[in-house]
């Protein structure tokens, strides 16, 4: 039995039917669809549309469908229904007969799909938060395990100033913390109950929307029925937050690929996340990271897809909106897989402190400290910058480091130089000097690390589900 068709004299064209059907995708919403229908059946009973007996029959039937969907994969495989909503309704009619024909009273698939998707997304955000948290926890573990390792910090992909490895790892923690905030924002907007909007104008039976909200565990109810059935902003929020997370993962991947090259070498990737070459026996390739970098493309694609889908769409519901599902599901799957792989990569990283020390040699990374030294002796910074620039040029020409230039030569270049200049040339000194809040000085980084650990213990509303 089809859920519509009374006003038609001809059946559907076969190609169009295939084109129109969405069950293959939206079957993922089946448990949310059943959850929404159970709550709606109760609301109908309270509104006097269903008898107590009919309600019990419907709840029982819906429970059976849910159990079968969980236990029997073939149940969903074989179905030929238009979408998940018609699938559930058709099976319910088969199980309970007459009573099932009353379930859709006052409801439309338009408010139904909105509530299903919001229920699904609320759970999905909780899962993403869990994945983010696990990755962030591993970043903190690595930072805690290597409190003293100093590595080159880069700008323009050229060695710039020494930094603590822990400071570097905490930079990623900050990024992923913002991602967590964004997903939580998205959760807040998703957490709004649309049932009762009907097809577009509202529900003509006395369904208690507040009771529906409570039953389905939403914080608020939608304020306008037209908006409720045409709003997909929460999906854009999710895919947008997801895109940025994938962009962050992609940037992290790029850094780790670079730092694990033999040319840098202070990070080694474990065998668990690398692959060999079919031809070159010596190779150990960072495929996990390259895929993380590549996966961002598909999620950014989904974001574009959703925005283009909504642009120019008139109020209220239009079938275009059915095309939102793949963007949602693919973003969720890509995010969860990527976060999990990133977590393994970070957890299994090996840090080579000797390679890090070697990487700090001979690249003038403490030239700024030398200029700062002159500033502390009274020279204006711009002038000090010029003096040290000329010193670097000379050392480069003579192929020596700053600490190999003699004191007498230093003093020829500026009489402000004295024996103590050599102290400021160590990476350690450079790091300790940067003791502002947010800087790389060890005590600042230690404090940031414990703040970060603290913040990870907090639980967001999306994680309480
Ligand atoms: N499968 C549809 C979707 O995902 C459900 C709503 C259909 N509504 C309609 N009036 N055709 O958007």
């Amino acid at each position: 039995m089809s859920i519509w068709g009374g006003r038609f004299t001809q059946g559907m064209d076969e190609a169009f039917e295939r084109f129109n059907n969405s069950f293959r995708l939206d079957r993922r919403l089946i448990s949310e669809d059943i959850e929404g229908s159970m709550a709606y059946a109760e609301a109908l009973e309270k509104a006097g549309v269903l008898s107590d007996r009919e309600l019990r029959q419907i709840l029982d039937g819906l429970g059976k469908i849910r159990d079968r969907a969980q236990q029997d994969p073939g149940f969903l495989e074989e179905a030929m229904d238009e979408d998940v909503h018609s699938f559930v309704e058709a099976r319910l009619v088969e199980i309970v007969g007459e009573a099932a024909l009353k379930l859709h009273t006052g409801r439309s698939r338009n408010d139904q799909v909105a509530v299903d998707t919001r229920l699904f997304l609320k759970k999905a955000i909780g899962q993403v938060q869990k994945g983010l948290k696990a990755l962030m926890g591993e970043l903190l573990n690595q930072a805690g395990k290597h409190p003293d390792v100093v590595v080159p910090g880069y700008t323009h992909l050229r060695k710039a100033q020494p930094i603590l490895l822990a400071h570097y790892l905490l930079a990623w923690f900050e990024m992923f913390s913002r991602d967590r905030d964004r997903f939580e924002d998205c959760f807040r907007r998703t957490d709004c109950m649309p049932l009762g909007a009907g097809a577009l104008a509202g529900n003509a039976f006395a369904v208690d929307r507040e009771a529906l909200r409570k039953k389905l565990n939403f914080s608020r109810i939608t304020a306008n029925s037209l908006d409720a059935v045409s709003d997909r902003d929460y999906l854009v929020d999710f895919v947008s937050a997801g895109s940025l997370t994938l962009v962050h993962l992609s940037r992290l991947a790029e850094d780790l690929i670079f730092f694990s090259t033999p040319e840098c070498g202070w990070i080694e990737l474990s065998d668990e996340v690398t692959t060999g070459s079919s031809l070159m026996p010596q190779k150990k390739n960072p495929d996990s990271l390259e895929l993380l970098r590549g996966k961002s493309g598909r999620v950014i694609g989904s974001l574009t897809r959703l925005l283009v889908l909504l642009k120019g769409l008139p109020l209220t519901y239009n079938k275009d909106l059915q095309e939102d599902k793949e963007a949602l599901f693919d973003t969720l799957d890509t995010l969860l897989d990527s976060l999990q792989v990133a977590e393994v990569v970070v957890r299994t990283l090996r840090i080579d402190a000797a390679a890090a020390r070697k990487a700090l040699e001979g690249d003038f990374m403490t030239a700024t400290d030398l200029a700062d030294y002159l500033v502390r002796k009274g020279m204006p910074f711009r002038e000090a910058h010029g003096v040290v620039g000329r010193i670097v040029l000379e050392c480069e020409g003579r192929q020596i480091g700053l600490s190999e230039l003699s004191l007498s030569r230093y003093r020829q270049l500026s009489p402000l130089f004295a024996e103590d200049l050599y102290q400021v040339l160590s990476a350690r000194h450079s790091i300790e000097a940067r003791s502002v809040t947010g800087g790389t000085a060890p005590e600042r980084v230690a404090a940031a690390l414990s703040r970060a650990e603290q913040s990870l213990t907090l639980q967001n509303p999306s994680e309480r589900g």
Side-chain angles (χ1 to χ4, degrees):
M1 186 207 71
S2 171
I3 58 172
W4 50 265
R7 60 104 61 235
F8 289 81
T9 52
Q10 263 191 309
M12 261 170 135
D13 171 79
E14 208 184 299
F16 171 57
E17 190 170 359
R18 254 183 286 120
F19 195 62
N20 187 51
N21 286 3
S22 59
F23 186 69
R24 188 179 55 84
L25 288 171
D26 60 25
R27 52 184 260 188
R28 270 184 83 166
L29 298 173
I30 189 157
S31 84
E32 290 76 19
D33 196 73
I34 289 171
E35 192 184 345
S37 286
M38 285 178 159
Y40 192 69
E42 283 180 24
L44 284 180
E45 190 265 337
K46 281 207 209 88
V49 176
L50 294 178
S51 70
D52 181 50
R53 195 181 115 83
E54 286 167 331
L55 171 63
R56 276 185 287 109
Q57 285 180 317
I58 287 175
L59 294 181
D60 183 59
L62 288 170
K64 284 189 176 128
I65 298 170
R66 186 180 49 203
D67 295 346
R68 174 120 190 249
Q70 272 163 10
Q71 287 152 14
D72 171 12
F75 185 42
L76 302 180
E77 289 309 326
E78 293 145 20
M80 299 291 288
D81 302 76
E82 181 184 332
D83 57 20
V84 65
H85 325 294
S86 16
F87 172 84
V88 172
E89 195 173 318
R91 297 300 86 76
L92 192 63
V93 172
E94 286 163 13
I95 298 171
V96 309
E98 179 83 17
L101 303 176
K102 298 186 178 181
L103 175 60
H104 212 56
T105 310
R107 184 174 69 166
S108 159
R109 280 181 295 164
N110 301 354
D111 57 349
Q112 190 177 358
V113 74
V115 81
D116 292 4
T117 315
R118 286 177 185 265
L119 284 169
F120 180 90
L121 183 53
K122 283 176 66 181
K123 285 182 220 156
I125 292 170
Q127 292 174 281
V128 172
Q129 293 287 28
K130 226 171 119 195
L132 271 167
K133 240 177 166 169
L135 169 61
M136 291 161 84
E138 291 305 333
L139 286 166
L140 297 187
N141 279 343
Q142 288 286 8
K145 273 198 285 186
H146 306 282
D148 300 317
V149 174
V150 180
V151 294
Y154 285 77
T155 62
H156 312 275
L157 218 48
R158 278 143 177 82
K159 288 180 188 171
Q161 290 179 326
I163 52 171
L164 281 181
L165 175 71
H167 193 50
Y168 171 83
L169 294 168
L170 282 165
W172 297 106
F173 184 91
E174 288 297 316
M175 266 189 240
F176 295 124
S177 300
R178 291 197 294 276
D179 291 334
R180 269 169 68 72
D181 276 358
R182 268 183 286 271
F183 280 113
E184 219 41 43
D185 248 19
C186 169
F187 181 84
R188 204 166 38 75
R189 277 188 284 270
T190 305
D191 189 16
C192 194
M193 207 287 304
L195 265 188
L200 74 160
N203 192 307
F205 297 84
V207 299
D208 180 349
R209 297 194 66 210
E210 260 307 309
L212 277 168
R213 175 191 74 73
K214 271 203 208 104
K215 181 81 200 170
L216 293 171
N217 198 23
F218 280 94
S219 299
R220 291 164 294 132
I221 60 175
T222 54
N224 180 294
S225 62
L226 307 179
D227 181 46
V229 295
S230 66
D231 175 23
R232 294 294 182 274
D233 292 1
Y234 49 96
L235 295 182
V236 175
D237 281 342
F238 178 69
V239 179
S240 165
S243 295
L244 203 42
T245 301
L246 260 299
V247 166
H248 290 158
L249 288 172
S250 167
R251 293 180 69 176
L252 173 63
E254 173 58 23
D255 258 20
L256 296 182
I257 289 169
F258 176 57
F259 294 157
S260 62
T261 55
E263 289 77 3
C264 295
W266 57 88
I267 274 174
E268 201 196 321
L269 302 173
S270 84
D271 286 0
E272 288 166 81
V273 291
T274 45
T275 61
S277 157
S278 61
L279 190 147
M280 299 165 282
Q282 84 283 13
K283 295 278 282 191
K284 181 174 166 184
N285 294 326
D287 293 29
S288 53
L289 294 169
E290 289 165 357
L291 280 168
L292 279 174
R293 197 172 52 186
K295 294 283 181 192
S296 55
R298 54 195 293 165
V299 178
I300 294 167
S302 291
L303 178 59
T304 305
R305 174 181 190 162
L306 280 181
L307 289 170
V308 175
L309 186 69
L310 294 174
K311 180 197 167 297
L313 207 64
L315 281 182
T316 53
Y317 181 85
N318 300 270
K319 193 63 172 261
D320 315 42
L321 291 173
Q322 180 165 286
E323 291 289 310
D324 62 1
K325 308 289 180 311
E326 266 170 312
L328 166 62
F329 296 145
D330 190 72
T331 297
L332 176 63
D333 296 342
T334 307
L335 260 172
L336 294 179
D337 289 349
S338 301
L339 286 168
Q340 195 183 351
V341 169
E343 188 230 297
V344 180
V345 169
V346 173
R347 174 159 48 79
T348 58
L349 281 182
R350 216 180 57 76
I351 307 300
D352 185 339
R357 267 193 303 280
K358 194 150 168 287
L360 292 167
E361 287 165 12
D363 280 281
F364 306 107
M365 266 183 290
T366 52
T368 309
D369 300 85
L370 199 56
D372 291 349
Y373 171 93
L374 291 174
V375 167
R376 293 201 167 89
K377 302 263 169 158
M379 188 184 285
F381 176 73
R382 195 47 65 214
E383 205 178 306
H385 189 286
V387 170
V388 175
R390 286 188 288 280
I391 293 170
V392 168
L393 184 67
E394 176 170 333
C395 288
E396 223 167 28
R398 293 168 55 185
Q399 296 192 354
I400 56 171
L402 292 173
S403 53
E404 290 159 273
L405 197 66
S406 69
L407 180 59
S408 56
R409 180 64 190 134
Y410 267 115
R411 290 183 61 80
Q412 282 170 355
L413 293 159
S414 167
L416 294 177
F417 280 123
E419 183 67 45
D420 61 351
L421 81 90
Y422 294 100
Q423 288 164 21
V424 307
L425 295 178
S426 77
R428 196 75 208 168
H429 179 279
S430 174
I431 283 166
E432 280 165 5
R434 283 159 180 80
S435 60
V436 290
T437 305
T440 192
E443 74 277 12
R444 290 299 187 179
V445 174
L449 179 57
S450 65
R451 258 198 319 277
E453 279 162 352
Q454 196 58 40
S455 79
L456 260 201
T457 64
L458 300 175
Q459 211 184 33
N460 286 313
S462 74
E463 294 158 278
R464 285 178 203 140

